[in-house]
Amino acid sequence: MKRGAVTALKAAIFAIGIVVLGLCIFALPSLAKSSAEMFPEFAYLRYPVLLGLYLTAVPFFYALYQAMKLLHFIDNRMAFSDLAVYTLVRIKYCASMISILYVIGMIFLLTQNALHPSIAIMGLVFLFSSIVIMLFSAVLQSLFKNALIMRLENELTV
């Protein structure tokens, strides 16, 4: 892979991280406050929803860190190594954790009669996005593992 492409991917991951961090710090608290003021009957959900969103941010940022590590391995021609495979495993686990947290959150909101259709649609977008990332990282993990096995077999026969 060309260095420019890896650098562009690293820059994109960094930019995504900065945008999501900015949303977590600045946008989410003010949105929660304004939602609590607009819908006082659901004001008691302000902090549980914020907590749930911040909980999903933890595996998200860890997955971004692991993606940066994977790009570093690719950049240093270590893409087909045990380290790269373990990095993909961690990304897969982060995506599954995000999926689980969103399912729990939507069930919680449903039990509180607070799952507005627009909230459900946004939750489903994040849920299915993390499922796609989980499946994609599982496929890449299998591919990298098979390539690693073939490389080791070639080294043993030579």
Side-chain angles (χ1 to χ4, degrees):
M1 188 174 234
K2 294 183 180 180
R3 276 203 190 277
V6 172
T7 304
L9 284 172
K10 286 181 180 179
I13 290 171
F14 185 76
I16 289 169
I18 293 296
V19 168
V20 172
L21 183 64
L23 288 172
C24 286
I25 293 172
F26 301 111
L28 282 180
S30 65
L31 281 172
K33 182 180 178 186
S34 65
S35 294
E37 290 169 354
M38 285 175 45
F39 304 103
E41 65 272 16
F42 297 117
Y44 69 98
L45 293 173
R46 175 181 176 185
Y47 293 111
V49 169
L50 271 176
L51 178 67
L53 290 173
Y54 286 137
L55 280 176
T56 61
V58 173
F60 175 79
F61 285 115
Y62 186 68
L64 287 183
Y65 170 71
Q66 293 300 318
M68 291 292 269
K69 279 178 56 175
L70 182 61
L71 288 174
H72 176 75
F73 294 145
I74 291 170
D75 207 17
N76 291 330
R77 299 187 187 276
M78 295 172 46
F80 302 112
S81 66
D82 285 333
L83 296 172
V85 172
Y86 292 134
T87 302
L88 285 166
V89 168
R90 290 183 193 113
I91 292 171
K92 180 177 69 174
Y93 287 147
C94 287
S96 62
M97 180 59 70
I98 292 169
S99 298
I100 291 167
L101 289 171
Y102 269 97
V103 167
I104 291 170
M106 288 195 298
I107 290 171
F108 173 72
L109 289 176
L110 189 62
T111 61
Q112 301 298 311
N113 292 325
L115 190 60
H116 189 271
S118 62
I119 294 172
I121 289 171
M122 288 299 296
L124 288 173
V125 166
F126 287 121
L127 173 67
F128 290 128
S129 298
S130 60
I131 289 172
V132 167
I133 291 168
M134 179 180 59
L135 294 173
F136 186 69
S137 60
V139 168
L140 280 179
Q141 173 194 348
S142 176
L143 177 72
F144 279 31
K145 191 183 289 186
N146 290 337
L148 180 62
I149 290 169
M150 288 188 328
R151 190 183 89 192
L152 291 174
E153 287 174 352
N154 284 342
E155 288 177 3
L156 290 176
T157 59
V158 172

CSV table of all heavy atoms in Angstrom, one decimal, residues 36-60:
chain,number,residue,atom,x,y,z
A,36,ALA,N,-34.1,17.9,27.6
A,36,ALA,CA,-34.8,17.8,28.9
A,36,ALA,C,-35.7,19.0,29.1
A,36,ALA,O,-36.8,18.9,29.7
A,36,ALA,CB,-33.8,17.7,30.0
A,37,GLU,N,-35.4,20.2,28.5
A,37,GLU,CA,-36.2,21.3,28.7
A,37,GLU,C,-37.4,21.2,27.7
A,37,GLU,O,-38.5,21.6,28.1
A,37,GLU,CB,-35.4,22.6,28.4
A,37,GLU,CG,-34.4,22.9,29.4
A,37,GLU,CD,-33.5,24.0,29.0
A,37,GLU,OE1,-33.5,24.5,27.8
A,37,GLU,OE2,-32.6,24.4,29.8
A,38,MET,N,-37.2,20.7,26.5
A,38,MET,CA,-38.3,20.5,25.6
A,38,MET,C,-39.3,19.5,26.0
A,38,MET,O,-40.5,19.6,25.7
A,38,MET,CB,-37.8,20.2,24.2
A,38,MET,CG,-37.2,21.4,23.5
A,38,MET,SD,-36.4,21.1,21.9
A,38,MET,CE,-37.5,20.1,21.1
A,39,PHE,N,-38.8,18.4,26.6
A,39,PHE,CA,-39.7,17.3,26.9
A,39,PHE,C,-39.4,17.0,28.4
A,39,PHE,O,-38.7,16.0,28.8
A,39,PHE,CB,-39.3,16.0,26.1
A,39,PHE,CG,-39.4,16.2,24.6
A,39,PHE,CD1,-38.3,16.4,23.9
A,39,PHE,CD2,-40.7,16.3,24.0
A,39,PHE,CE1,-38.4,16.6,22.5
A,39,PHE,CE2,-40.8,16.5,22.6
A,39,PHE,CZ,-39.6,16.7,21.9
A,40,PRO,N,-40.1,17.8,29.3
A,40,PRO,CA,-39.8,17.6,30.7
A,40,PRO,C,-40.3,16.2,31.3
A,40,PRO,O,-39.8,15.8,32.3
A,40,PRO,CB,-40.6,18.7,31.4
A,40,PRO,CG,-41.5,19.3,30.3
A,40,PRO,CD,-40.9,18.9,29.0
A,41,GLU,N,-41.2,15.6,30.6
A,41,GLU,CA,-41.6,14.3,31.0
A,41,GLU,C,-40.5,13.2,30.9
A,41,GLU,O,-40.6,12.1,31.5
A,41,GLU,CB,-42.9,13.8,30.3
A,41,GLU,CG,-42.7,13.6,28.8
A,41,GLU,CD,-42.9,14.8,27.9
A,41,GLU,OE1,-42.9,15.9,28.5
A,41,GLU,OE2,-43.1,14.6,26.7
A,42,PHE,N,-39.5,13.5,30.1
A,42,PHE,CA,-38.4,12.6,29.9
A,42,PHE,C,-37.1,13.1,30.5
A,42,PHE,O,-36.0,12.6,30.2
A,42,PHE,CB,-38.2,12.2,28.4
A,42,PHE,CG,-39.4,11.5,27.8
A,42,PHE,CD1,-40.1,12.1,26.8
A,42,PHE,CD2,-39.8,10.3,28.3
A,42,PHE,CE1,-41.2,11.4,26.2
A,42,PHE,CE2,-40.8,9.6,27.7
A,42,PHE,CZ,-41.6,10.2,26.7
A,43,ALA,N,-37.2,14.2,31.2
A,43,ALA,CA,-36.0,14.8,31.8
A,43,ALA,C,-35.2,13.9,32.7
A,43,ALA,O,-34.0,14.0,32.7
A,43,ALA,CB,-36.4,16.1,32.6
A,44,TYR,N,-35.8,12.9,33.3
A,44,TYR,CA,-35.1,12.0,34.2
A,44,TYR,C,-34.2,11.0,33.4
A,44,TYR,O,-33.3,10.4,33.9
A,44,TYR,CB,-36.1,11.1,35.0
A,44,TYR,CG,-37.0,10.2,34.2
A,44,TYR,CD1,-36.6,8.8,34.1
A,44,TYR,CD2,-38.1,10.6,33.5
A,44,TYR,CE1,-37.3,7.9,33.3
A,44,TYR,CE2,-38.8,9.7,32.7
A,44,TYR,CZ,-38.5,8.4,32.7
A,44,TYR,OH,-39.2,7.5,31.9
A,45,LEU,N,-34.4,11.0,32.0
A,45,LEU,CA,-33.5,10.1,31.2
A,45,LEU,C,-32.3,10.9,30.7
A,45,LEU,O,-31.4,10.2,30.0
A,45,LEU,CB,-34.3,9.7,30.0
A,45,LEU,CG,-35.5,8.7,30.3
A,45,LEU,CD1,-36.3,8.4,29.0
A,45,LEU,CD2,-34.9,7.4,30.9
A,46,ARG,N,-32.1,12.1,31.0
A,46,ARG,CA,-31.0,12.9,30.5
A,46,ARG,C,-29.7,12.3,30.9
A,46,ARG,O,-28.8,12.0,30.0
A,46,ARG,CB,-31.1,14.3,31.1
A,46,ARG,CG,-29.9,15.2,30.8
A,46,ARG,CD,-30.1,16.6,31.4
A,46,ARG,NE,-29.0,17.4,31.2
A,46,ARG,CZ,-28.9,18.6,31.7
A,46,ARG,NH1,-29.8,19.1,32.5
A,46,ARG,NH2,-27.8,19.3,31.5
A,47,TYR,N,-29.4,12.0,32.1
A,47,TYR,CA,-28.1,11.5,32.5
A,47,TYR,C,-27.9,10.0,32.2
A,47,TYR,O,-26.8,9.6,31.8
A,47,TYR,CB,-27.9,11.7,34.0
A,47,TYR,CG,-27.7,13.2,34.3
A,47,TYR,CD1,-28.7,13.9,35.0
A,47,TYR,CD2,-26.7,13.9,33.8
A,47,TYR,CE1,-28.6,15.3,35.2
A,47,TYR,CE2,-26.5,15.3,34.0
A,47,TYR,CZ,-27.5,16.0,34.7
A,47,TYR,OH,-27.4,17.3,34.9
A,48,PRO,N,-29.0,9.1,32.3
A,48,PRO,CA,-28.7,7.8,31.8
A,48,PRO,C,-28.4,7.7,30.3
A,48,PRO,O,-27.5,6.9,29.9
A,48,PRO,CB,-30.1,7.1,32.1
A,48,PRO,CG,-30.7,7.8,33.2
A,48,PRO,CD,-30.2,9.3,33.0
A,49,VAL,N,-29.1,8.5,29.5
A,49,VAL,CA,-28.8,8.5,28.1
A,49,VAL,C,-27.4,9.0,27.8
A,49,VAL,O,-26.6,8.5,27.0
A,49,VAL,CB,-29.8,9.3,27.3
A,49,VAL,CG1,-29.4,9.5,25.9
A,49,VAL,CG2,-31.2,8.6,27.4
A,50,LEU,N,-27.0,10.1,28.5
A,50,LEU,CA,-25.6,10.6,28.3
A,50,LEU,C,-24.6,9.6,28.8
A,50,LEU,O,-23.6,9.4,28.1
A,50,LEU,CB,-25.4,11.9,29.2
A,50,LEU,CG,-25.8,13.2,28.5
A,50,LEU,CD1,-25.7,14.4,29.5
A,50,LEU,CD2,-24.9,13.5,27.3
A,51,LEU,N,-24.8,8.9,29.9
A,51,LEU,CA,-23.9,7.9,30.3
A,51,LEU,C,-23.8,6.8,29.3
A,51,LEU,O,-22.7,6.3,29.0
A,51,LEU,CB,-24.4,7.3,31.7
A,51,LEU,CG,-23.6,6.2,32.2
A,51,LEU,CD1,-22.2,6.7,32.6
A,51,LEU,CD2,-24.2,5.5,33.4
A,52,GLY,N,-24.9,6.4,28.7
A,52,GLY,CA,-24.9,5.3,27.7
A,52,GLY,C,-24.1,5.7,26.5
A,52,GLY,O,-23.3,5.0,25.9
A,53,LEU,N,-24.3,7.0,26.1
A,53,LEU,CA,-23.5,7.5,24.9
A,53,LEU,C,-22.0,7.6,25.2
A,53,LEU,O,-21.2,7.3,24.3
A,53,LEU,CB,-24.1,8.8,24.4
A,53,LEU,CG,-25.5,8.7,23.8
A,53,LEU,CD1,-26.1,10.1,23.5
A,53,LEU,CD2,-25.5,7.9,22.5
A,54,TYR,N,-21.7,8.0,26.4
A,54,TYR,CA,-20.3,8.1,26.7
A,54,TYR,C,-19.7,6.7,26.9
A,54,TYR,O,-18.5,6.5,26.6
A,54,TYR,CB,-20.1,8.9,28.0
A,54,TYR,CG,-20.3,10.4,27.8
A,54,TYR,CD1,-21.0,11.2,28.7
A,54,TYR,CD2,-19.8,11.1,26.7
A,54,TYR,CE1,-21.2,12.6,28.5
A,54,TYR,CE2,-19.9,12.4,26.5
A,54,TYR,CZ,-20.6,13.2,27.4
A,54,TYR,OH,-20.8,14.5,27.2
A,55,LEU,N,-20.5,5.8,27.4
A,55,LEU,CA,-20.0,4.4,27.4
A,55,LEU,C,-19.6,3.8,26.1
A,55,LEU,O,-18.7,3.1,25.9
A,55,LEU,CB,-21.0,3.5,28.2
A,55,LEU,CG,-21.0,3.6,29.7
A,55,LEU,CD1,-22.1,2.7,30.2
A,55,LEU,CD2,-19.7,3.2,30.3
A,56,THR,N,-20.4,4.2,25.1
A,56,THR,CA,-20.1,3.7,23.7
A,56,THR,C,-18.9,4.4,23.1
A,56,THR,O,-18.3,3.9,22.2
A,56,THR,CB,-21.4,3.9,22.8
A,56,THR,OG1,-21.7,5.2,22.7
A,56,THR,CG2,-22.5,3.0,23.2
A,57,ALA,N,-18.6,5.6,23.6
A,57,ALA,CA,-17.5,6.3,23.1
A,57,ALA,C,-16.2,5.7,23.5
A,57,ALA,O,-15.2,5.8,22.8
A,57,ALA,CB,-17.5,7.8,23.6
A,58,VAL,N,-16.1,5.0,24.6
A,58,VAL,CA,-14.9,4.4,25.1
A,58,VAL,C,-14.4,3.3,24.1
A,58,VAL,O,-13.3,3.4,23.6
A,58,VAL,CB,-15.1,3.8,26.5
A,58,VAL,CG1,-13.8,3.0,27.0
A,58,VAL,CG2,-15.3,5.0,27.5
A,59,PRO,N,-15.3,2.3,23.8
A,59,PRO,CA,-14.8,1.3,22.8
A,59,PRO,C,-14.6,1.9,21.4
A,59,PRO,O,-13.7,1.4,20.6
A,59,PRO,CB,-15.8,0.2,22.8
A,59,PRO,CG,-17.0,0.8,23.4
A,59,PRO,CD,-16.6,1.9,24.3
A,60,PHE,N,-15.3,3.0,21.1
A,60,PHE,CA,-15.1,3.6,19.8
A,60,PHE,C,-13.7,4.2,19.7
A,60,PHE,O,-13.0,4.0,18.7
A,60,PHE,CB,-16.2,4.7,19.6
A,60,PHE,CG,-16.0,5.5,18.4
A,60,PHE,CD1,-16.4,5.0,17.1
A,60,PHE,CD2,-15.4,6.8,18.4
A,60,PHE,CE1,-16.2,5.8,16.0
A,60,PHE,CE2,-15.2,7.5,17.3
A,60,PHE,CZ,-15.6,7.0,16.0
